[in-house]
Amino acid sequence: MTYCFYICVCLCLVIFQTTIIPHIALFNNFYDLLIPFIIYLGLFRPAREGILFILVLGFIMDSLSGGPFGLYLTTYFWLFIVVKIVIKYLHACNNILLLFIVAAGVLMENIIFIASVSMFGPDSRFLAITMRAVIFQILWAGCTGFFFITFFNHIHKKLEKFSIFRSGTKIT
Amino acid sequence: MIVVNIIILSVNSSRYSSYGSWRIAIFFIAPFQKTVTQSVQFLKNIWGHYFFLVSVAQENDNLKKAINQAIDKNNKYREVEFSNFRLRNLLNFRETMTNQVLVAEVISQDPSPWFKTIIIDKGKSDGVEKGLPVVVPEGIAGQIIDISYNYSKVLLIIDPNSAVDALVQRTRDRGLIKGESYGRCLSKYVLRKHDVKVGDTVVSSGLDGVFPKGLRVGYVTEIVKRNSGIFQEVTVMPYVDFEKLEEVLIVLDSPKHDFDFVSEQ
């Protein structure tokens, strides 16, 4: 059930990100929607459950993207690890943490991506436009990331309850 | 009596006379008439505007539904019209091209804003190969970089990894068009001495062995000549609006340069 939920969420997010968002002018500088999901996995799910899924997700995104292969894989993997380290010191359900962690994740992804693009020799204009795009992405992430994580957590809990209830009725 | 009555009637009917009596009648009757008429009208209005509104509301709902359906239909027709226009445009362009081309539909875009690729619905099964050029009526769009059985990935010319050998149409000065990731391109290695002007059209040179010669790439928007260096920086704005790319043409018989002889030598 859990893995089915992960697959459905990721499928929806990837399709939404690659087919719908590019057509909406408002979301021109929207962030990677899979980041809140990876952070959710890092915050609320055991490492064993999440790591394999994150690697598969990174592989899929790398296949869809035109960037160097392994960029998403690297980003998602390290993001997951960083989140796992962070929750050793901070409480995962802390609302203030949830507010900032997605923005921080988006910033981390952008730093990795910009570093990768910079290898091609960017000019000053590139950096100026990049900064603007990154700031917009972080703002979006700060405003909406919390809701995504809460939504994933809520749906997952409901599904788990439903799953327990079904297995209970089967036993009786 | 009867005769007298008839005579009076016939005399009165021959000419109109009121004798002022109607004024008295009107004075007494008219207010009542008015009140009754207004009351009737009031009741009629109440019926018409409130009780009858139940059916009007129903009718309104039905009309709203009908309008929504009509808007939806109209939208669909408009979409078909636009699609028809685009496809006609594509068809006209296809007819003008001497190369063998294949029409493909864009199904998704790159998930990252830093890289510019699209995925199209034609693949190996349709005869698509890696490295084939992708064009639209406005100009060059990109190049196939990855293929699966039914789908292909296209690297757009605005991607930092892309490079197209091009020349300025007016002066025939050569340069290398590199993507700049934010919707523009940079023409590299254009010599300082070359007379390039803002607004000049840049076309493919055909020397890269990928794109056919003479296809439009973009127009010059900015020229920077630094104090030192032998090259000038020429910014090129592509003619293609990559945000609105929906259908593309894959050139199946693009010019292929045989470089094997070089390695043999």
Side-chain angles (χ1 to χ4, degrees):
Chain A
M1 190 65 127
T2 299
Y3 284 104
C4 273
F5 168 70
Y6 290 169
I7 291 166
C8 287
V9 168
C10 288
L11 206 64
C12 290
L13 290 176
V14 169
I15 291 169
F16 189 72
Q17 193 167 324
T18 54
T19 57
I20 296 166
I21 283 188
H23 297 287
I24 306 169
L26 180 70
F27 299 139
N28 257 352
N29 286 312
F30 210 73
Y31 60 97
D32 182 0
L33 281 176
L34 289 165
I35 287 179
F37 188 66
I38 284 155
I39 289 171
Y40 159 72
L41 291 178
L43 288 176
F44 298 102
R45 308 306 302 175
R48 271 183 298 119
E49 194 181 290
I51 195 80
L52 183 73
F53 198 76
I54 276 163
L55 292 177
V56 173
L57 204 58
F59 176 81
I60 292 168
M61 289 298 275
D62 272 326
S63 309
L64 292 174
S65 171
F69 194 85
L71 201 58
Y72 275 99
L73 207 65
T74 313
T75 310
Y76 291 168
F77 176 75
W78 285 109
L79 187 61
F80 185 73
I81 299 292
V82 167
V83 173
K84 281 282 169 210
I85 293 167
V86 165
I87 55 160
K88 276 188 180 174
Y89 304 101
L90 292 168
H91 193 247
C93 291
N94 187 341
N95 283 342
I96 299 167
L97 172 76
L98 293 185
L99 272 175
F100 289 105
I101 201 161
V102 180
V106 169
L107 181 66
M108 185 181 155
E109 187 188 60
N110 277 306
I111 288 169
I112 297 172
F113 276 38
I114 291 165
S116 154
V117 177
S118 300
M119 288 175 199
F120 305 114
D123 57 3
S124 53
R125 279 174 308 175
F126 169 77
L127 288 173
I129 288 168
T130 304
M131 282 305 135
R132 191 175 159 270
V134 172
I135 288 165
F136 270 104
Q137 284 195 26
I138 289 169
L139 286 175
W140 269 118
C143 296
T144 58
F146 170 80
F147 298 105
F148 275 112
I149 293 179
T150 315
F151 174 73
F152 296 141
N153 200 18
H154 177 75
I155 297 287
H156 201 177
K157 274 182 184 166
K158 287 262 174 205
L159 277 173
E160 276 184 339
K161 270 185 192 169
F162 176 71
S163 178
I164 291 165
F165 172 75
R166 255 186 60 182
S167 57
T169 47
K170 267 183 189 173
I171 292 162
T172 53
Chain B
M1 275 278 285
I2 292 165
V3 173
V4 171
N5 202 349
I6 289 167
I7 291 164
I8 288 167
L9 275 176
S10 61
V11 169
N12 277 346
S13 62
S14 63
R15 60 189 175 96
Y16 177 77
S17 56
S18 64
Y19 311 109
S21 57
W22 73 277
R23 286 194 196 101
I24 300 163
I26 281 290
F27 180 79
F28 288 105
I29 303 297
F32 293 104
Q33 281 178 327
K34 194 182 172 185
T35 308
V36 171
T37 307
Q38 279 180 344
S39 303
V40 168
Q41 200 62 42
F42 178 71
L43 290 171
K44 212 173 166 181
N45 280 345
I46 286 176
W47 179 258
H49 286 102
Y50 295 96
F51 296 109
F52 195 64
L53 271 186
V54 177
S55 62
V56 170
Q58 186 74 38
E59 194 184 346
N60 195 27
D61 285 345
N62 291 337
L63 286 172
K64 271 184 183 168
K65 265 184 202 166
I67 283 174
N68 283 340
Q69 280 172 354
I71 288 170
D72 187 42
K73 208 175 244 181
N74 192 29
N75 192 39
K76 275 179 190 161
Y77 286 145
R78 200 180 290 170
E79 200 56 37
V80 168
E81 193 184 336
F82 283 140
S83 169
N84 192 17
F85 177 75
R86 271 198 328 269
L87 292 172
R88 267 175 197 278
N89 217 0
L90 211 59
L91 191 68
N92 285 342
F93 176 65
R94 191 177 168 170
E95 279 166 4
T96 56
M97 279 196 76
T98 49
N99 303 74
Q100 196 187 342
V101 290
L102 180 71
V103 181
E105 202 172 336
V106 177
I107 58 163
S108 78
Q109 292 189 21
D110 201 299
S112 162
W114 309 118
F115 303 104
K116 303 291 176 187
T117 58
I118 53 168
I119 293 174
I120 54 172
D121 67 342
K122 293 287 183 291
K124 213 180 277 180
S125 61
D126 305 286
V128 178
E129 288 170 24
K130 211 170 167 174
L132 290 181
V134 177
V135 296
V136 285
E138 290 81 22
I140 287 173
Q143 185 183 357
I144 306 275
I145 53 162
D146 230 336
I147 45 167
S148 71
Y149 194 69
N150 288 318
Y151 303 100
S152 305
K153 196 193 280 178
V154 179
L155 181 76
L156 300 177
I157 57 165
I158 50 171
D159 189 278
N161 289 316
S162 165
V164 181
D165 198 282
L167 44 89
V168 179
Q169 197 171 42
R170 184 176 58 85
T171 60
R172 316 311 284 178
D173 297 324
R174 276 184 64 198
L176 193 72
I177 301 288
K178 290 275 289 172
E180 285 282 280
S181 189
Y182 45 89
R184 288 186 181 193
C185 297
L186 199 66
S187 186
K188 285 192 165 182
Y189 313 118
V190 181
L191 290 173
R192 245 180 113 80
K193 63 178 181 181
H194 289 159
D195 174 36
V196 182
K197 284 179 182 159
V198 171
D200 276 348
T201 300
V202 178
V203 295
S204 57
S205 70
L207 292 169
D208 50 21
V210 177
F211 297 98
K213 190 179 177 179
L215 286 176
R216 297 198 314 165
V217 178
Y219 58 93
V220 176
T221 54
E222 195 186 352
I223 301 159
V224 178
K225 285 185 183 179
R226 302 214 182 274
N227 290 335
S228 58
I230 56 166
F231 301 115
Q232 52 187 324
E233 278 177 25
V234 180
T235 307
V236 176
M237 177 65 89
Y239 281 117
V240 180
D241 187 352
F242 292 100
E243 300 292 321
K244 294 175 184 169
L245 215 53
E246 285 181 56
E247 290 97 14
V248 292
L249 291 175
I250 307 162
V251 182
L252 294 173
D253 54 346
S254 65
K256 281 194 177 68
H257 287 203
D258 188 14
F259 294 108
D260 291 344
F261 74 95
V262 179
S263 54
E264 279 167 18
Q265 282 176 352

